[in-house]
Amino acid sequence: MIQENCFLGLDLSTQSITAVVISVSGGVTHRFSISFDDAYPSFHTRGGVVLGESASEVFADPRMWAEALDDILILLKDSNLTGSIRALGVSAQQHGTVYLKSIFGKSLKGLDSALPYHRQIQHVFSRDLSPLWMDSSTHEECCEITQALGGPKEVARLTGSVATERFAAPQIRKFWKRHPEKYEQTAHVALVSSFLTSLLIGRIAPLDAGDGYGTNLADIRSRNWNELAMAAAAPGLSNRLPRLLVKDEIVGPVSPYSAQRFGFKPDTVAVVGSGDNPCSLVGLGLLGVPDIHAISLGTSDTYFGYIKELDDRERLEGHIFGAADGRFMALVCFKNGSLAREAVKNWYGLSWDDFSRILLETPPGNQGKIMLPYFLPEITPLLLDPGIRRFGGLTAEDVQGNVRAVAEAQAMAMHLHAGWTGPRPKCILVTAGGSENRGLLTVISQVFGAEVRSFEVKESAALGAAIRAAHAFLNTKRRSVGWSDLFESVVRSDAKELIRPSAEAVEIYQGPEGLLSLYKACERSAL
Ligand code: XUL
């Protein structure tokens, strides 16, 4: 029966929580999602986040995440699904930090299964709000960390990224500088993925290298927390970080609370939690596959690919994170992703169908009209002072021109800043909400000169978490199952769109006087 051996992936993203249930023979069997803005009005989020004193400070309340976790698991229980889940895995938005008092561990053990998490863990936080990946308020701390560790190239070589505003090290440093007394009360700093996994297993969960390397605190070669990097962030940090796991492992059975409240079997196990991008790498079947790259069009836009071995090239942009098999992934992140597309769509009162149709009907290259769509401070290229800039005669009244310009800008920025991730791929897999937009897929294929594929299941992060759970469970408990076997049965079968660009369209971007070089010049002028 399909329900015999099921695996659950949960993805807590910026704006929602999603659950995907898979069975190895039946692929994806169920999907559920809860949007934070709709379901939790008392937290006053917009797009899942709240702003701080300045727009560069972006937070969410971890109590809202706990409530969402409870709600989605109750949904699964009410659908009679939890009893057949053998293993589960958490995927979460990367980089967000959760600050916990020493009472956290004890509180997890004493939870009453008649009540939801959030009613019982109000008092465990030493900081009410968690800074998120969208926060860009720690430039000063990044400079201090860079100086302490010997310069940007050194930091990138050691930790996989230059000191980066949204990462844990500068965020923790800012907290320690501004609120030393609250930092003193902090016994544990979790990332979103390890916080949620802790709730599920009833004790402090380790962190995986997918999320752990996105902190500026780990040495990606020795594969452990680095003393100098931790000291550069805040005093006494090594005692406060979770254990770092190099590759996927089962981190324990679900807690008695989770079993009783949500109807899991007591021997249902959890794999270590991870970030949404490392999970998407798995959910797209790209673990072990370096020559196909991926683009996720979620709240953030990310470009990523698998890396087998680290090289020694110097780099000041992009990130190296761990991958579920103990190797690595390269990633470039853009903040002005879906939020920028949505802003342009809303300016002109368009639907997503209109947006896609305009992209399909207008000529590639936009007749040289270009937009730099920095609605928010941008991560890549680093630009802390936002603003929309138009070039080549693009005016605000030009509906079609602006739609095309925002989509082309995003694809061209990816092309320009992803060159270091490896040889240009012949095929790119596109996932998350924006992957339903045929117009966007077409623009990406034309700018990159590559075949583009999208999938029926666009929730690749939650799917990846479910596959990681299945892989960890099947390899420890029963028999040896390879990643590629799982990809074959769960991922590959459902390609939805396959788009191949024409040579003429590609030439418009990549040719000698092409739009890519023009865009690069515009970007330079803005920086
Ligand atoms: C990646 C990043 C974002 C978040 C959003 O480095 O910051 O993609 O993971 O979910």
Side-chain angles (χ1 to χ4, degrees):
M1 259 183 50
I2 224 165
Q3 301 235 328
E4 254 322 287
N5 246 346
C6 291
F7 302 95
L8 167 64
L10 295 163
D11 175 41
L12 189 128
S13 71
T14 315
Q15 310 203 33
S16 57
I17 189 165
T18 298
V20 163
V21 179
I22 62 169
S23 79
V24 174
S25 53
V28 175
T29 60
H30 298 83
R31 292 187 256 177
F32 300 88
S33 195
I34 299 174
S35 144
F36 299 147
D37 291 359
D38 297 341
Y40 311 111
S42 65
F43 287 96
H44 306 291
T45 55
R46 281 189 64 188
V49 309
V50 288
L51 298 184
E53 281 164 16
S54 81
S56 64
E57 290 188 311
V58 187
F59 301 105
D61 191 325
R63 295 167 186 85
M64 176 180 80
W65 298 333
E67 189 167 345
L69 180 65
D70 187 84
D71 284 346
I72 203 144
L73 291 176
I74 294 286
L75 255 176
L76 286 157
K77 179 189 181 193
D78 291 347
S79 309
N80 289 325
L81 290 168
T82 42
S84 55
I85 305 292
R86 299 268 65 86
L88 53 84
V90 168
S91 151
Q93 52 173 301
Q94 296 193 255
H95 316 300
T97 35
V98 184
Y99 299 75
L100 298 151
K101 295 181 186 164
S102 58
I103 187 94
F104 181 52
K106 206 165 148 212
S107 300
L108 286 177
K109 297 217 158 37
L111 293 177
D112 172 357
S113 63
L115 297 171
Y117 291 119
H118 56 280
R119 295 265 176 82
Q120 305 179 73
I121 58 165
Q122 294 289 337
H123 60 294
V124 304
F125 302 97
S126 54
R127 183 179 190 177
D128 277 333
L129 297 177
S130 291
L132 304 185
W133 69 273
M134 293 172 84
D135 188 292
S136 56
S137 66
T138 62
H139 191 63
E140 187 180 301
E141 288 75 17
C142 285
C143 295
E144 292 162 356
I145 289 169
T146 305
Q147 200 177 10
L149 295 179
K153 285 181 187 152
E154 270 314 302
V155 185
R157 205 195 113 72
L158 178 72
T159 70
S161 308
V162 296
T164 301
E165 282 71 10
R166 66 193 190 283
F167 281 22
Q171 291 292 345
I172 295 169
R173 183 169 180 76
K174 179 179 151 194
F175 182 57
W176 165 69
K177 279 167 57 183
R178 301 230 175 140
H179 303 286
E181 71 302 337
K182 288 191 181 162
Y183 180 74
E184 267 319 302
Q185 293 168 13
T186 306
H188 314 284
V189 180
L191 264 68
V192 187
S193 65
S194 69
F195 170 62
L196 293 176
T197 306
S198 301
L199 293 182
L200 288 162
I201 64 173
R203 57 193 178 79
I204 311 277
L207 192 68
D208 89 318
D211 250 0
Y213 295 175
T215 58
N216 285 138
L217 292 168
D219 176 342
I220 60 171
R221 287 179 175 78
S222 75
R223 300 165 153 251
N224 213 333
W225 298 125
N226 179 269
E227 289 298 336
L228 290 175
M230 288 188 289
L237 188 51
S238 62
N239 308 325
R240 291 170 163 89
L241 293 176
R243 197 156 58 87
L244 184 62
L245 299 183
V246 172
K247 61 190 234 187
D248 275 6
E249 270 178 43
I250 298 288
V251 293
V254 295
S255 65
Y257 168 89
S258 304
Q260 281 155 24
R261 180 161 178 81
F262 306 118
F264 292 117
K265 296 239 164 62
D267 63 353
T268 299
V269 290
V271 68
V272 64
S274 187
D276 48 6
N277 294 293
C279 285
S280 274
L281 188 79
V282 176
L284 290 167
L286 293 185
L287 208 61
V289 185
D291 51 345
I292 300 178
H293 285 178
I295 288 176
S296 170
L297 303 175
T299 306
S300 63
D301 283 355
T302 54
Y303 181 100
F304 54 89
Y306 178 80
I307 298 181
K308 214 164 180 182
E309 306 287 350
L310 292 178
D311 64 30
D312 277 329
R313 270 180 300 162
E314 285 186 343
R315 178 179 49 81
L316 294 176
E317 228 176 38
H319 315 291
I320 300 284
F321 299 150
D325 62 354
R327 296 191 182 258
F328 306 94
M329 67 184 286
L331 179 136
V332 194
C333 182
F334 303 84
K335 203 191 298 182
N336 288 284
S338 77
L339 298 175
R341 288 187 286 278
E342 199 159 346
V344 172
K345 173 184 89 74
N346 293 344
W347 276 346
Y348 304 114
L350 303 172
S351 66
W352 283 121
D353 281 346
D354 299 330
F355 193 96
S356 180
R357 190 178 34 75
I358 290 174
L359 293 176
L360 294 170
E361 287 174 358
T362 49
N366 213 13
Q367 293 149 327
K369 293 179 278 190
I370 286 180
M371 178 198 291
L372 295 179
Y374 304 139
F375 288 78
L376 298 168
E378 182 48 72
I379 292 171
T380 315
L382 181 63
L383 184 130
L384 298 171
D385 179 20
I388 294 118
R389 287 117 167 136
R390 294 187 176 86
F391 303 83
L394 179 66
T395 60
E397 294 71 45
D398 180 353
V399 181
Q400 300 199 332
N402 280 275
V403 167
R404 184 139 208 113
V406 71
E408 288 189 342
Q410 293 171 332
M412 289 194 287
M414 284 190 194
H415 189 276
L416 288 175
H417 297 281
W420 66 273
T421 60
R424 294 286 182 190
K426 292 199 171 55
C427 175
I428 296 176
L429 309 184
V430 184
T431 183
S435 68
E436 289 183 320
N437 192 309
R438 195 157 205 277
L440 285 176
L441 302 180
T442 307
V443 172
I444 292 170
S445 79
Q446 292 169 340
V447 170
F448 278 84
E451 174 186 299
V452 160
R453 287 168 190 249
S454 68
F455 295 85
E456 205 61 58
V457 178
K458 61 184 188 333
E459 298 88 349
S460 59
L463 175 59
I467 296 174
R468 292 178 45 240
H471 182 264
F473 174 85
L474 294 170
N475 282 289
T476 48
K477 298 253 160 159
R478 301 264 160 92
R479 55 201 158 101
S480 166
V481 177
W483 289 106
S484 52
D485 301 332
L486 285 170
F487 297 156
E488 213 51 63
S489 54
V490 185
V491 186
R492 294 245 160 88
S493 48
D494 74 339
K496 185 177 170 194
E497 298 268 14
L498 197 170
I499 296 173
R500 294 200 179 92
S502 71
E504 301 80 66
V506 177
E507 182 69 12
I508 290 173
Y509 299 98
Q510 299 194 0
E513 301 286 300
L515 208 65
L516 271 164
S517 44
L518 219 69
Y519 185 82
K520 192 173 178 179
C522 295
E523 207 182 59
R524 266 214 204 109
S525 82
L527 296 175

